[in-house]
Amino acid sequence: MSSVPTTTRRRVLQSMGAAGATAVAGCVSAPPAEEQAAKSTPQPPNMNESPVLDTQRIAGNPTAVPPPIDRDSPTTVSVEMTTHEQVAEVEPGVTYTYMSFDGRIPGPMIRARVGDHVEMTVTNDESNSMPHNIDLHAVRGPGGGAEASMVAPGETKTFTFKATYPGLFTYHCAVPNLDYHISSGMFGAILIEPEVGLPAVDHEFYLGQHELYTTGDAGEEGHHDFDFEAMKDEEPTYVLINGEKYAIGPNGHNEMQIETGESARVYYVSGGPNLSSSLHPIGSVWDEVHPQGGIGSDVHRNIQTTPVPRGRR
């Protein structure tokens, strides 16, 4: 991972999705009636074919963070997402059929506060070949919303949940095989702020790590298919930050720019599905760390490297 510019103060919130037994138990598969359809997979081109790109950029912009919440009372926060299956470049000359929320990896960051009702609408683009849904670890309820949001191509569903505990949590697609969907890009983070809000900082950034398991080798030009055996063996072709090789920093899109002396908070989610992360700001330390995305527990201070467990398990 490329380093960010030197700062005098840094804060990090980690998202692993482990919000107690209730949330962990919420990672369930699709209802049995949906299972057969969920297992269908598209037929990819051969390695020597060069499919037309559906998007020039799959990497999420790390500065695309909703503004801090500046209100004293709860409200209803409406969130709409569309799932996509899109051919994009992992690196120049290497393509893959990603799956995503709103066409970016990680999916859009959701921001609400304790006491809010979040109205979640999920649309499965009609051009897709598989069903999708969303399981949010900020939801205290069956499947984290997965069963209520199961959508076939061309369908839309809406459900509402109340945010009852603060923290940074992961969300992901949870249809069988969910590891395939998560590895292909279907994960993101939802921040539930405490009633008193978070301390002000000069900048906020949003990053997501995941592994990609493909039938080709890293750098092998052509279109790569997903490799289930490599995923089971935990042998990724790529470990990516924001969905592309070198998406962050001067060799990529390079949007993480701040001045010396400014403060920055980093929201970091590890989608996995297998590997955890060790997050270190090169040339500095994290002034404050909220382990496992917890808000309200003890803050760790002056931490050189902090583990960010994968969010799915």
Side-chain angles (χ1 to χ4, degrees), residues 187-234:
F187 71 97
I190 174 170
L191 172 65
I192 306 299
E193 293 193 21
E195 293 94 330
V196 296
L198 295 174
V201 292
D202 297 315
H203 300 272
E204 293 185 316
F205 298 115
Y206 173 42
L207 301 173
Q209 173 185 310
H210 72 115
E211 314 104 57
L212 194 57
Y213 300 86
T214 78
T215 51
D217 295 328
E220 181 179 356
E221 293 193 359
H223 188 82
H224 291 220
D225 188 18
F226 189 77
D227 190 332
F228 286 92
E229 291 303 315
M231 181 186 68
K232 288 192 294 184
D233 294 337
E234 299 188 13

Side-chain angles (χ1 to χ4, degrees), residues 13-15 110 112 114 138 165-170 189-194 198 267 290 292-296:
L13 284 164
Q14 312 164 33
S15 175
I110 304 169
V114 170
Y165 45 86
L168 184 70
F169 306 97
T170 192
I190 174 170
L191 172 65
I192 306 299
E193 293 193 21
L198 295 174
Y267 301 101
H290 292 259
Q292 301 182 29
I295 297 177

Side-chain angles (χ1 to χ4, degrees), residues 46-197:
N46 296 323
M47 280 290 296
N48 59 357
E49 294 181 359
S50 299
V52 176
L53 296 179
D54 295 319
T55 178
Q56 294 297 317
R57 174 175 177 169
I58 198 71
N61 184 334
T63 67
V65 178
I69 293 174
D70 184 20
R71 50 184 164 82
D72 298 325
S73 59
T75 188
T76 297
V77 177
S78 296
V79 180
E80 297 182 5
M81 288 191 190
T82 300
T83 64
H84 294 280
E85 298 164 17
Q86 297 172 295
V87 175
E89 284 190 322
V90 184
E91 61 175 309
V94 178
T95 61
Y96 178 77
T97 303
Y98 288 91
M99 305 180 210
S100 69
F101 292 99
D102 276 6
R104 290 290 182 265
I105 301 172
M109 182 173 156
I110 304 169
R111 194 167 197 160
R113 74 183 286 277
V114 170
D116 284 349
H117 284 83
V118 179
E119 184 183 71
M120 188 79 224
T121 299
V122 179
T123 297
N124 192 340
D125 190 87
E126 62 183 4
S127 67
N128 292 340
S129 63
M130 290 173 280
H132 296 292
N133 63 9
I134 190 167
D135 173 351
L136 304 107
H137 291 197
V139 173
R140 197 186 294 273
E147 296 182 20
S149 61
M150 176 67 71
V151 280
E155 289 185 342
T156 297
K157 287 187 179 178
T158 300
F159 68 96
T160 301
F161 68 92
K162 184 176 181 179
T164 60
Y165 45 86
L168 184 70
F169 306 97
T170 192
Y171 65 77
H172 58 86
C173 184
V175 303
N177 180 333
L178 67 165
D179 284 348
Y180 169 36
H181 290 234
I182 294 169
S183 178
S184 296
M186 298 197 78
F187 71 97
I190 174 170
L191 172 65
I192 306 299
E193 293 193 21
E195 293 94 330
V196 296

